[in-house]
Structures are given as structure tokens and as C-alpha cells.
Amino acid sequence: MSTGVLGAMAVIILALVVGTLVRLTQMHRLSERTARKLGLRLRTWWLIAFVLVLLILAGVPATVGFFCVVSLLALREYWRLVPERAEYGGLIWWAYGAAVLQYIWVYSGLFDLLMIFIPILTFLLLTLRVVILQRPDGFVHMVGTLQWGLMIFVFCLSHVAFLLTLPPETNPVGGAVGWFIYLVVLTEFNDMAQAWLGRPLGRHKIIPQISPGKSWEGLAGGLLCTTVAAMLLAPFLTPLAGPSSSTPDGLALSSFLSPLAAGAGLLIGISGFCGDIAVSAVKRDARVKDSGTMLPGHGGILDRIDSLTFAAPLFFHYVYFIYR
């Protein structure tokens, strides 16, 4: 495991310690209800960080298996938001089976099969299966609902795990796990930065009917912070900083000014925002605030992985296009 990866894990823990201490000093100013919710959020963040570090140490099989479970749980929450789910019957189990197979292809590194399995093969088979039900009323809605869930919560999310199967030569700095940490940390950081800056600075709402808390000020501030963070992390986890530009005294300043790293930061920031509001639209359609209660203080699985659903496939192909 590279020094950069170990350093990244240390930074994650340090950031949580600092964030927890800062929040604890603010507890006395908050109402009992708000303080309780904040406490739950902090505990869940510690759990997420613990699981992330554990996955990094456990290796590829454990991480691929973990994200397979996350996709299955995300699908389960998604089905619960669909009022007509009772009519789908065994089709939902077909979808679960397709999700498991998708992650088998991920673990096997079968890129070509991974790219066509859900978008083409599963889509066509599910369409035929719905035809066999001989219920033309709601046909388009049923097929669209099933396929959208599979595309977002299985196909797109599986790209997080697929980063771990990239050849080592694509990342001589941090290995495949370097790509994984870079994406996950920046995506979650982008979410927090947009929220932190949007609360005090937000004046102009972007899409109030879908996500009332999103503002142009929060988005701009989050993108700036994520882009800077992407450039700072790149030399330690990825080759995005360019050819080795180290000096006898350490990394040169040019290592932190890479346009490729800045592009990755912007890509993750914008796509993460888009994933967030897309899942928010699903929740608004279902008339719920949170997708579930599995993550105390955060909501459900969908509330935590929404940004990754857009960021993961776009970042994966950004990396694949540059380093294949």
C-alpha cells in the first residue's frame, strides 16, 4: 500500500476528529432536537469512515462485495418509493439477480460485458418479460421504472468498485485503490462543502421545487473547494498531477496545479450535484424527505450514495479515456 493511500486514511480520520470536536463545541447553542440529530450524523460519519478504511485494508473482493450489497439495498429503498411495486411481482427479483451478476462481471474485470449487460442485455430481457405478463396498461412505466433503477443504482454505482479492477499501470502513484479513495473522498467532500457554504451564503435557489436547499452560491463554493481539494490530493493518490515533478525538497508546486486534476475536481463536483438532485426528484415524486432510516441522521442509503451515482461512471471514463 502506497504512502499516499496511508496518508489519505490518516487525513480522513483526522478530518473526522477535527469536525467532531468543532461540532461538540457548538452543541450547547443548539436545540435538543437539532443537537440529537447532529450527534446521530456524527456517529454515522464515523461508521462510514470506519467501513471505508476497513474496505481499503480488506482489498478488492471485500470492496466489490460491499458495493454489491449497497446496490441491492439502494434498489430495495427505490422499490419502496414506487407505489406500483406490488404489480411488478417477480420482476423485482430479476432485477436483484441482474445486480449480483453485474458485480460478478466487475470483480472479473470483464469491461466489455460490464458495459452492455444492464444497458442492453438486461433491458431487452426485462422488456420481453414484461410483455409476457400481457398487461399493456402501464407497460412503458413499468419497464422505465425497473430499468432506471438498475441503471442508476447498479450500473452507475458499480463503477465505484470497477475502479479497483483497473490495471496497476493506470495509477503508478496510488494503485487502483488510489482512484477509489480519490473519487469517494472528493464526492463526499463536495456534498459537505456545498451544504456548508450554501447555508450561510445561499441566496439564489437553483431548483427549489426539487431541492430547496440547493443554491447557486453553495454550488459555486462547493465546486471551488472540490477543485482545490482534487489538485491537492492528486499528487499523493493519482498520476493526474502529471509526470514526476518532485524536487530534492519534495513535490514541486507544479504538482498541485495540474489541469487534469482540476478537470477531475470539476467533473466530480458537477456530476455529484446532478446525482444529488436526480435522486431528490425521485423522493419528491414519492412525497418523502428521506429514502429510508438505515443511516441515522442522514436518512437512507440513497441519501448517501446519490452523488456517486453520477460521479462514479463519469470519473471512471475520464480516467479510462486518459490512461487506457
Side-chain angles (χ1 to χ4, degrees), residues 244-266:
S244 177
S245 55
S246 59
T247 67
D249 299 321
L251 291 171
L253 178 61
S254 58
S255 300
F256 300 101
L257 300 176
S258 165
L260 288 178
L266 282 172

Side-chain angles (χ1 to χ4, degrees), residues 21-40:
L21 292 175
V22 170
R23 288 299 191 182
L24 288 176
T25 61
Q26 299 172 340
M27 286 289 194
H28 67 281
R29 306 176 191 170
L30 306 175
S31 65
E32 182 179 349
R33 183 172 178 272
T34 304
R36 181 176 177 276
K37 184 176 181 179
L38 180 58
L40 289 174

Side-chain angles (χ1 to χ4, degrees), residues 163-174:
L163 282 170
L164 293 167
T165 67
L166 287 174
E169 56 268 23
T170 64
N171 189 354
V173 180

Side-chain angles (χ1 to χ4, degrees), residues 76-125:
R76 181 169 172 265
E77 286 187 354
Y78 172 65
W79 303 141
R80 289 182 172 183
L81 300 178
V82 178
E84 303 87 354
R85 64 183 180 278
E87 302 176 10
Y88 294 178
L91 291 172
I92 290 177
W93 292 104
W94 278 50
Y96 284 141
V100 173
L101 285 174
Q102 174 77 359
Y103 280 92
I104 291 175
W105 312 146
V106 168
Y107 180 70
S108 303
L110 300 174
F111 179 81
D112 292 337
L113 184 55
L114 171 76
M115 290 297 110
I116 68 169
F117 179 64
I118 285 179
I120 299 177
L121 300 179
T122 300
F123 170 67
L124 296 178
L125 288 174

Side-chain angles (χ1 to χ4, degrees), residues 24-290:
L24 288 176
T25 61
Q26 299 172 340
M27 286 289 194
H28 67 281
R29 306 176 191 170
L30 306 175
S31 65
E32 182 179 349
R33 183 172 178 272
T34 304
R36 181 176 177 276
K37 184 176 181 179
L38 180 58
L40 289 174
R41 287 183 67 86
L42 286 173
R43 273 183 280 183
T44 302
W45 272 122
W46 274 102
L47 177 61
I48 292 171
F50 173 76
V51 170
L52 179 61
V53 171
L54 197 63
L55 290 175
I56 294 169
L57 296 175
V60 176
T63 305
V64 173
F66 174 79
F67 274 93
C68 179
V69 172
V70 169
S71 280
L72 293 173
L73 292 173
L75 280 178
R76 181 169 172 265
E77 286 187 354
Y78 172 65
W79 303 141
R80 289 182 172 183
L81 300 178
V82 178
E84 303 87 354
R85 64 183 180 278
E87 302 176 10
Y88 294 178
L91 291 172
I92 290 177
W93 292 104
W94 278 50
Y96 284 141
V100 173
L101 285 174
Q102 174 77 359
Y103 280 92
I104 291 175
W105 312 146
V106 168
Y107 180 70
S108 303
L110 300 174
F111 179 81
D112 292 337
L113 184 55
L114 171 76
M115 290 297 110
I116 68 169
F117 179 64
I118 285 179
I120 299 177
L121 300 179
T122 300
F123 170 67
L124 296 178
L125 288 174
L126 278 175
T127 301
L128 289 175
R129 183 68 183 86
V130 176
V131 169
I132 292 171
L133 292 176
Q134 300 187 62
R135 287 188 292 186
D137 292 340
F139 171 81
V140 173
H141 184 273
M142 187 179 294
V143 173
T145 299
L146 288 165
Q147 186 64 13
W148 194 86
L150 281 171
M151 284 296 296
I152 293 293
F153 304 120
V154 180
F155 178 74
C156 289
L157 193 61
S158 69
H159 285 75
V160 181
F162 201 48
L163 282 170
L164 293 167
T165 67
L166 287 174
E169 56 268 23
T170 64
N171 189 354
V173 180
V177 72
W179 293 125
F180 171 78
I181 296 173
Y182 192 74
L183 169 66
V184 173
V185 169
L186 286 176
T187 302
E188 297 305 316
F189 175 75
N190 179 65
D191 281 354
M192 291 186 288
Q194 289 190 21
W196 289 340
L197 295 171
R199 290 190 189 104
L201 301 177
R203 297 292 182 272
H204 302 88
K205 304 299 182 183
I206 301 177
I207 42 172
Q209 293 185 341
I210 299 295
S211 188
K214 302 294 184 186
S215 67
W216 287 108
E217 293 83 359
L219 175 60
L223 288 178
L224 177 61
C225 291
T226 302
T227 302
V228 172
M231 291 191 290
L232 293 176
L233 283 177
F236 304 102
L237 292 173
T238 77
L240 291 171
S244 177
S245 55
S246 59
T247 67
D249 299 321
L251 291 171
L253 178 61
S254 58
S255 300
F256 300 101
L257 300 176
S258 165
L260 288 178
L266 282 172
L267 178 68
I268 291 171
I270 294 172
S271 58
F273 170 81
C274 293
D276 189 335
I277 60 175
V279 174
S280 291
V282 174
K283 292 185 290 184
R284 295 297 171 270
D285 187 27
R287 303 295 190 271
V288 299
K289 182 179 183 297
D290 297 325

